[in-house]
Amino acid sequence: MSLIVMKFGGSSVGSTERMSRVAQRIIDKKLQGDRVVVVVSAMGDTTDDLIDKANEINDNPPAREMDMLLTTGEQISVALLSMAIHKLGHEAKSYTGWQAGIVTESVHAKARITDISPDRIFAALDEGNIVIVAGFQGMTDNGEITTLGRGGSDTTAVALAAAIHADVCEIYTDVDGIYSTDPRVVKCARKLNEISYDEMLELAHLGAAVLHPRAVEYAKHYKVNLVVRSSFNNNEGTLVREDAQMEQGMVVRGIASDKNVARISVLGVADVPGVLAKMFGALADNGIDVDIIVQSGVQDGKADFSFTVSLNDRQRALDVLSGIRSEVPYHDTTYEEGLVKVSIVGAGMVSNPGVAAKMFQAISEVGVSIKMVSTSEIKVSCVIAAGPVQEVIQALHTAYGLDTADTAFVGGPSERR
Amino acid sequence: MSLIVMKFGGSSVGSTERMSRVAQRIIDKKLQGDRVVVVVSAMGDTTDDLIDKANEINDNPPAREMDMLLTTGEQISVALLSMAIHKLGHEAKSYTGWQAGIVTESVHAKARITDISPDRIFAALDEGNIVIVAGFQGMTDNGEITTLGRGGSDTTAVALAAAIHADVCEIYTDVDGIYSTDPRVVKCARKLNEISYDEMLELAHLGAAVLHPRAVEYAKHYKVNLVVRSSFNNNEGTLVREDAQMEQGMVVRGIASDKNVARISVLGVADVPGVLAKMFGALADNGIDVDIIVQSGVQDGKADFSFTVSLNDRQRALDVLSGIRSEVPYHDTTYEEGLVKVSIVGAGMVSNPGVAAKMFQAISEVGVSIKMVSTSEIKVSCVIAAGPVQEVIQALHTAYGLDTADTAFVGGPSERR
């Protein structure tokens, strides 16, 4: 008898028919003899509808009251799912985040889970119930209702799985699992059987729609076995765990791309100790995520820096730089938009020299020049000009032997939390 | 500085514009220097929509899960109302029933409040907030979410007012207050300035749409001053309290009618001790409310009984009687539908002889015959055939000097909770 957490996103329970289908799926698991805890998101567009309603009344509503409002979405889901299970003749009990003992920081809209007291969950399981917990929400020590922000329901599922020592946490979504690259871009993308937490984190941009990075971090920290699988079929899905098994000859596990990249260059920065810390500290203080940083050699006591930020942050980053110019003197700034970052990810590349070289070769064969490069132990990223990105990804996919005839990808818009 | 509870029903907050108008009204009260606690129902049709959704999934949903589902309606209301108040530049905090410390019995769908711990309410008031509490809901000692059933938000308001020792509990609704009779029936119905709890309870049928009897009982028990007034204007409303001041010459305060009456007669019942207890015990056990009971004299050791029940309960009452016929032998049963109960209510009638006689006289002058009579200290009820009921009520209204030229009644469907 296993203890299993099953998480269903908003589109999986987007209608009463889908709700009933999910109920049957949960019951099937129970009938296998497992103890089942279910985490559910708000149905379909519920959250967006609530946000619209709030904005009709107040274009800048207090975060506390938004949390009060939005948490009703998941409460509606859990109650209805429980009713659907009862309709099919099985016992179920639904719980809000606070009822399930999910304690968070005293922050609204993006609280982190600090503790879970699963006593009520175990009591309900012991009574033979299927336990259904509202995702995305918790309560502070002071009894304030909070939400976990983007990817919140995934995080609820993983944190619950950790707290109750579940054997596995299954994330049901509208795709079959994690793919070697976006199957909408590369037709013969390969569904991965296994992937490690670190690889999954590096593939975040690829997988974000399927699995939120925060949930992966949580899973890594608490060593929760995660399975990503489709709520519409019984295919195996992808297992995310510490030591994912390497498939034959697969040095690179997956290829990710990010079209949302801007490069900023700061030219002629005085080469004085502490200058970099000041510059990137100021950017961080303003909530700007800097990705790749490249420094070219120092000349005449001056250095040139280039770094990438998300397209949305480009102007703000430039403003920050001009704001600290008195502390960090520089000659000029330039920027470039319309860039794409392409990354290959795989735990196997550590022990396989020549992986990066093969990447550069494959990209150059498509006739694309590389503007920036960044490497980590399990990743190589290249920034290229937007253009034949699809061909680049396809070329890399083929070069690393990832192509397969099997295209089990189920299309459609991905879920957001 | 007063401490005031204001309760707004679903139609008062039925749209975002109405929500904003209510917010302004609450702020006006605050600006007078009062400390304000607000209780709100679910917006407009929210509750009905949720019930429909539940029934799509399960035609017989568990009461526990219905409570989980329905309580989201009020949670949405309080969050949005708080946002509307913030939009107008004032501080407010919304609370669910459990957050406000409202503890109930362990019963779903119709729990009674057993305790209120208003610590958080006082703390929020002390911080200068307008406090907004979700009506209709509470939590058991075990942390289960419950609802209070019909009239639940009124009850929440009154119970909160009692717990925090509020100076007054104002029930805002879509009518101007309590009327001497239904202003839709009698054009010159008089709005009452004051009425006692007991009178209000006797006028329950008249007032049910405006004020739930359970809330009145609660107010009476804890001596909470209740004011019923319109959310659409600033008229004075009606004060409900222990010793309502008598207006000049007003022996009768109000006239109620109930068109939903059936008479059942049980003929030839053996006059044996315990027979009545068995008969009416069986009816009560089946949840049938018996109103007026009349026994005619005993003849040959047999008695005839007549009693009234609500029209909906008529068939069930007859079934119960035939089910206990072996224990309570009788000759036959008959019934009559299409009856109306007309009642005059007034604390003053105790010390004024001839009040009932004047009623019989007025009814006979309309040419209507009286079928059953029942009296209490502050009420006389007559059952008559349906027909010129409006004339009967008008005649009684005139006979007891209740007519007035002032018709400030605001029409429209009344709120249900």
Side-chain angles (χ1 to χ4, degrees), chain A residues 153-176:
Chain A
S153 287
D154 286 350
T155 308
T156 300
V158 174
L160 263 180
I164 66 176
H165 303 288
D167 296 285
V168 65
C169 176
E170 298 187 332
I171 308 286
Y172 286 83
T173 180
D174 48 8
V175 294
D176 260 9

PDB file of all heavy atoms in Angstrom, chain A residues 153-176:
ATOM      1  N   SER A 153       0.100  25.603  -6.615  1.00  0.00           N
ATOM      2  CA  SER A 153      -0.503  24.299  -6.375  1.00  0.00           C
ATOM      3  C   SER A 153       0.514  23.175  -6.515  1.00  0.00           C
ATOM      4  O   SER A 153       0.458  22.191  -5.778  1.00  0.00           O
ATOM      5  CB  SER A 153      -1.676  24.076  -7.335  1.00  0.00           C
ATOM      6  OG  SER A 153      -2.762  24.876  -6.955  1.00  0.00           O
ATOM      7  N   ASP A 154       1.452  23.314  -7.442  1.00  0.00           N
ATOM      8  CA  ASP A 154       2.546  22.340  -7.538  1.00  0.00           C
ATOM      9  C   ASP A 154       3.324  22.308  -6.225  1.00  0.00           C
ATOM     10  O   ASP A 154       3.659  21.239  -5.704  1.00  0.00           O
ATOM     11  CB  ASP A 154       3.525  22.725  -8.665  1.00  0.00           C
ATOM     12  CG  ASP A 154       2.961  22.455 -10.051  1.00  0.00           C
ATOM     13  OD1 ASP A 154       1.901  21.798 -10.145  1.00  0.00           O
ATOM     14  OD2 ASP A 154       3.569  22.908 -11.038  1.00  0.00           O
ATOM     15  N   THR A 155       3.597  23.509  -5.709  1.00  0.00           N
ATOM     16  CA  THR A 155       4.358  23.586  -4.465  1.00  0.00           C
ATOM     17  C   THR A 155       3.587  22.957  -3.314  1.00  0.00           C
ATOM     18  O   THR A 155       4.149  22.226  -2.497  1.00  0.00           O
ATOM     19  CB  THR A 155       4.695  25.049  -4.149  1.00  0.00           C
ATOM     20  OG1 THR A 155       5.302  25.637  -5.303  1.00  0.00           O
ATOM     21  CG2 THR A 155       5.643  25.149  -2.973  1.00  0.00           C
ATOM     22  N   THR A 156       2.283  23.225  -3.248  1.00  0.00           N
ATOM     23  CA  THR A 156       1.451  22.598  -2.215  1.00  0.00           C
ATOM     24  C   THR A 156       1.580  21.079  -2.298  1.00  0.00           C
ATOM     25  O   THR A 156       1.777  20.403  -1.273  1.00  0.00           O
ATOM     26  CB  THR A 156      -0.032  22.976  -2.403  1.00  0.00           C
ATOM     27  OG1 THR A 156      -0.176  24.390  -2.305  1.00  0.00           O
ATOM     28  CG2 THR A 156      -0.901  22.315  -1.338  1.00  0.00           C
ATOM     29  N   ALA A 157       1.474  20.541  -3.512  1.00  0.00           N
ATOM     30  CA  ALA A 157       1.512  19.091  -3.689  1.00  0.00           C
ATOM     31  C   ALA A 157       2.846  18.522  -3.225  1.00  0.00           C
ATOM     32  O   ALA A 157       2.897  17.537  -2.480  1.00  0.00           O
ATOM     33  CB  ALA A 157       1.256  18.737  -5.152  1.00  0.00           C
ATOM     34  N   VAL A 158       3.941  19.156  -3.638  1.00  0.00           N
ATOM     35  CA  VAL A 158       5.267  18.635  -3.290  1.00  0.00           C
ATOM     36  C   VAL A 158       5.515  18.777  -1.787  1.00  0.00           C
ATOM     37  O   VAL A 158       6.020  17.857  -1.138  1.00  0.00           O
ATOM     38  CB  VAL A 158       6.360  19.374  -4.094  1.00  0.00           C
ATOM     39  CG1 VAL A 158       7.745  18.936  -3.638  1.00  0.00           C
ATOM     40  CG2 VAL A 158       6.191  19.104  -5.587  1.00  0.00           C
ATOM     41  N   ALA A 159       5.115  19.926  -1.226  1.00  0.00           N
ATOM     42  CA  ALA A 159       5.338  20.143   0.202  1.00  0.00           C
ATOM     43  C   ALA A 159       4.519  19.164   1.031  1.00  0.00           C
ATOM     44  O   ALA A 159       5.000  18.619   2.030  1.00  0.00           O
ATOM     45  CB  ALA A 159       4.984  21.585   0.567  1.00  0.00           C
ATOM     46  N   LEU A 160       3.290  18.916   0.604  1.00  0.00           N
ATOM     47  CA  LEU A 160       2.458  17.933   1.297  1.00  0.00           C
ATOM     48  C   LEU A 160       3.081  16.548   1.197  1.00  0.00           C
ATOM     49  O   LEU A 160       3.141  15.805   2.186  1.00  0.00           O
ATOM     50  CB  LEU A 160       1.064  17.886   0.673  1.00  0.00           C
ATOM     51  CG  LEU A 160      -0.031  18.689   1.344  1.00  0.00           C
ATOM     52  CD1 LEU A 160      -1.338  18.517   0.591  1.00  0.00           C
ATOM     53  CD2 LEU A 160      -0.209  18.258   2.794  1.00  0.00           C
ATOM     54  N   ALA A 161       3.535  16.204   0.000  1.00  0.00           N
ATOM     55  CA  ALA A 161       4.158  14.891  -0.207  1.00  0.00           C
ATOM     56  C   ALA A 161       5.358  14.721   0.733  1.00  0.00           C
ATOM     57  O   ALA A 161       5.555  13.657   1.316  1.00  0.00           O
ATOM     58  CB  ALA A 161       4.584  14.729  -1.664  1.00  0.00           C
ATOM     59  N   ALA A 162       6.129  15.814   0.887  1.00  0.00           N
ATOM     60  CA  ALA A 162       7.273  15.759   1.799  1.00  0.00           C
ATOM     61  C   ALA A 162       6.794  15.590   3.240  1.00  0.00           C
ATOM     62  O   ALA A 162       7.324  14.759   3.988  1.00  0.00           O
ATOM     63  CB  ALA A 162       8.114  17.021   1.655  1.00  0.00           C
ATOM     64  N   ALA A 163       5.780  16.340   3.622  1.00  0.00           N
ATOM     65  CA  ALA A 163       5.315  16.343   5.016  1.00  0.00           C
ATOM     66  C   ALA A 163       4.718  15.007   5.426  1.00  0.00           C
ATOM     67  O   ALA A 163       4.850  14.578   6.571  1.00  0.00           O
ATOM     68  CB  ALA A 163       4.299  17.462   5.229  1.00  0.00           C
ATOM     69  N   ILE A 164       4.022  14.352   4.499  1.00  0.00           N
ATOM     70  CA  ILE A 164       3.399  13.071   4.867  1.00  0.00           C
ATOM     71  C   ILE A 164       4.261  11.886   4.418  1.00  0.00           C
ATOM     72  O   ILE A 164       3.848  10.751   4.524  1.00  0.00           O
ATOM     73  CB  ILE A 164       1.967  12.942   4.288  1.00  0.00           C
ATOM     74  CG1 ILE A 164       1.977  12.884   2.740  1.00  0.00           C
ATOM     75  CG2 ILE A 164       1.088  14.114   4.752  1.00  0.00           C
ATOM     76  CD1 ILE A 164       0.598  12.671   2.132  1.00  0.00           C
ATOM     77  N   HIS A 165       5.461  12.181   3.916  1.00  0.00           N
ATOM     78  CA  HIS A 165       6.369  11.132   3.431  1.00  0.00           C
ATOM     79  C   HIS A 165       5.690  10.243   2.407  1.00  0.00           C
ATOM     80  O   HIS A 165       5.682   9.007   2.528  1.00  0.00           O
ATOM     81  CB  HIS A 165       6.897  10.299   4.603  1.00  0.00           C
ATOM     82  CG  HIS A 165       7.599  11.131   5.635  1.00  0.00           C
ATOM     83  ND1 HIS A 165       8.840  11.694   5.429  1.00  0.00           N
ATOM     84  CD2 HIS A 165       7.203  11.547   6.862  1.00  0.00           C
ATOM     85  CE1 HIS A 165       9.194  12.392   6.487  1.00  0.00           C
ATOM     86  NE2 HIS A 165       8.216  12.332   7.377  1.00  0.00           N
ATOM     87  N   ALA A 166       5.094  10.876   1.411  1.00  0.00           N
ATOM     88  CA  ALA A 166       4.418  10.134   0.346  1.00  0.00           C
ATOM     89  C   ALA A 166       5.445   9.389  -0.494  1.00  0.00           C
ATOM     90  O   ALA A 166       6.592   9.816  -0.625  1.00  0.00           O
ATOM     91  CB  ALA A 166       3.621  11.093  -0.536  1.00  0.00           C
ATOM     92  N   ASP A 167       5.032   8.269  -1.049  1.00  0.00           N
ATOM     93  CA  ASP A 167       5.935   7.494  -1.895  1.00  0.00           C
ATOM     94  C   ASP A 167       6.189   8.209  -3.222  1.00  0.00           C
ATOM     95  O   ASP A 167       7.258   8.096  -3.793  1.00  0.00           O
ATOM     96  CB  ASP A 167       5.344   6.103  -2.155  1.00  0.00           C
ATOM     97  CG  ASP A 167       5.221   5.317  -0.867  1.00  0.00           C
ATOM     98  OD1 ASP A 167       6.268   4.845  -0.385  1.00  0.00           O
ATOM     99  OD2 ASP A 167       4.106   5.222  -0.325  1.00  0.00           O
ATOM    100  N   VAL A 168       5.186   8.920  -3.683  1.00  0.00           N
ATOM    101  CA  VAL A 168       5.352   9.646  -4.939  1.00  0.00           C
ATOM    102  C   VAL A 168       4.365  10.804  -4.999  1.00  0.00           C
ATOM    103  O   VAL A 168       3.304  10.759  -4.378  1.00  0.00           O
ATOM    104  CB  VAL A 168       5.161   8.691  -6.156  1.00  0.00           C
ATOM    105  CG1 VAL A 168       3.741   8.161  -6.214  1.00  0.00           C
ATOM    106  CG2 VAL A 168       5.515   9.392  -7.473  1.00  0.00           C
ATOM    107  N   CYS A 169       4.754  11.854  -5.701  1.00  0.00           N
ATOM    108  CA  CYS A 169       3.874  12.993  -5.929  1.00  0.00           C
ATOM    109  C   CYS A 169       3.630  13.085  -7.432  1.00  0.00           C
ATOM    110  O   CYS A 169       4.550  13.366  -8.192  1.00  0.00           O
ATOM    111  CB  CYS A 169       4.529  14.266  -5.410  1.00  0.00           C
ATOM    112  SG  CYS A 169       3.577  15.766  -5.730  1.00  0.00           S
ATOM    113  N   GLU A 170       2.410  12.799  -7.853  1.00  0.00           N
ATOM    114  CA  GLU A 170       2.091  12.784  -9.283  1.00  0.00           C
ATOM    115  C   GLU A 170       1.453  14.110  -9.689  1.00  0.00           C
ATOM    116  O   GLU A 170       0.427  14.499  -9.141  1.00  0.00           O
ATOM    117  CB  GLU A 170       1.129  11.640  -9.601  1.00  0.00           C
ATOM    118  CG  GLU A 170       1.707  10.267  -9.294  1.00  0.00           C
ATOM    119  CD  GLU A 170       0.800   9.138  -9.773  1.00  0.00           C
ATOM    120  OE1 GLU A 170      -0.433   9.352  -9.837  1.00  0.00           O
ATOM    121  OE2 GLU A 170       1.321   8.057 -10.081  1.00  0.00           O
ATOM    122  N   ILE A 171       2.092  14.791 -10.642  1.00  0.00           N
ATOM    123  CA  ILE A 171       1.561  16.053 -11.150  1.00  0.00           C
ATOM    124  C   ILE A 171       0.834  15.764 -12.462  1.00  0.00           C
ATOM    125  O   ILE A 171       1.477  15.454 -13.468  1.00  0.00           O
ATOM    126  CB  ILE A 171       2.699  17.069 -11.405  1.00  0.00           C
ATOM    127  CG1 ILE A 171       3.603  17.224 -10.173  1.00  0.00           C
ATOM    128  CG2 ILE A 171       2.138  18.411 -11.880  1.00  0.00           C
ATOM    129  CD1 ILE A 171       3.014  18.003  -9.049  1.00  0.00           C
ATOM    130  N   TYR A 172      -0.502  15.848 -12.427  1.00  0.00           N
ATOM    131  CA  TYR A 172      -1.286  15.588 -13.635  1.00  0.00           C
ATOM    132  C   TYR A 172      -1.477  16.892 -14.388  1.00  0.00           C
ATOM    133  O   TYR A 172      -1.841  17.910 -13.806  1.00  0.00           O
ATOM    134  CB  TYR A 172      -2.643  14.996 -13.269  1.00  0.00           C
ATOM    135  CG  TYR A 172      -2.516  13.563 -12.831  1.00  0.00           C
ATOM    136  CD1 TYR A 172      -2.161  13.247 -11.526  1.00  0.00           C
ATOM    137  CD2 TYR A 172      -2.714  12.527 -13.737  1.00  0.00           C
ATOM    138  CE1 TYR A 172      -2.016  11.928 -11.128  1.00  0.00           C
ATOM    139  CE2 TYR A 172      -2.573  11.210 -13.349  1.00  0.00           C
ATOM    140  CZ  TYR A 172      -2.224  10.915 -12.043  1.00  0.00           C
ATOM    141  OH  TYR A 172      -2.071   9.614 -11.662  1.00  0.00           O
ATOM    142  N   THR A 173      -1.202  16.846 -15.672  1.00  0.00           N
ATOM    143  CA  THR A 173      -1.278  18.070 -16.445  1.00  0.00           C
ATOM    144  C   THR A 173      -1.803  17.751 -17.836  1.00  0.00           C
ATOM    145  O   THR A 173      -2.348  16.670 -18.061  1.00  0.00           O
ATOM    146  CB  THR A 173       0.111  18.751 -16.467  1.00  0.00           C
ATOM    147  OG1 THR A 173       0.031  19.940 -17.220  1.00  0.00           O
ATOM    148  CG2 THR A 173       1.159  17.841 -17.039  1.00  0.00           C
ATOM    149  N   ASP A 174      -1.686  18.698 -18.768  1.00  0.00           N
ATOM    150  CA  ASP A 174      -2.258  18.445 -20.087  1.00  0.00           C
ATOM    151  C   ASP A 174      -1.214  17.982 -21.100  1.00  0.00           C
ATOM    152  O   ASP A 174      -1.485  17.898 -22.288  1.00  0.00           O
ATOM    153  CB  ASP A 174      -3.031  19.662 -20.602  1.00  0.00           C
ATOM    154  CG  ASP A 174      -2.231  20.945 -20.453  1.00  0.00           C
ATOM    155  OD1 ASP A 174      -1.041  20.853 -20.106  1.00  0.00           O
ATOM    156  OD2 ASP A 174      -2.786  22.030 -20.681  1.00  0.00           O
ATOM    157  N   VAL A 175      -0.001  17.695 -20.612  1.00  0.00           N
ATOM    158  CA  VAL A 175       0.997  17.078 -21.488  1.00  0.00           C
ATOM    159  C   VAL A 175       1.425  15.752 -20.883  1.00  0.00           C
ATOM    160  O   VAL A 175       1.192  15.486 -19.710  1.00  0.00           O
ATOM    161  CB  VAL A 175       2.233  17.978 -21.699  1.00  0.00           C
ATOM    162  CG1 VAL A 175       1.848  19.239 -22.468  1.00  0.00           C
ATOM    163  CG2 VAL A 175       2.863  18.346 -20.379  1.00  0.00           C
ATOM    164  N   ASP A 176       2.073  14.938 -21.709  1.00  0.00           N
ATOM    165  CA  ASP A 176       2.410  13.577 -21.316  1.00  0.00           C
ATOM    166  C   ASP A 176       3.579  13.473 -20.353  1.00  0.00           C
ATOM    167  O   ASP A 176       3.822  12.409 -19.787  1.00  0.00           O
ATOM    168  CB  ASP A 176       2.769  12.770 -22.566  1.00  0.00           C
ATOM    169  CG  ASP A 176       1.601  11.903 -23.010  1.00  0.00           C
ATOM    170  OD1 ASP A 176       0.513  12.080 -22.440  1.00  0.00           O
ATOM    171  OD2 ASP A 176       1.797  11.077 -23.906  1.00  0.00           O
TER     172      ASP A 176
END
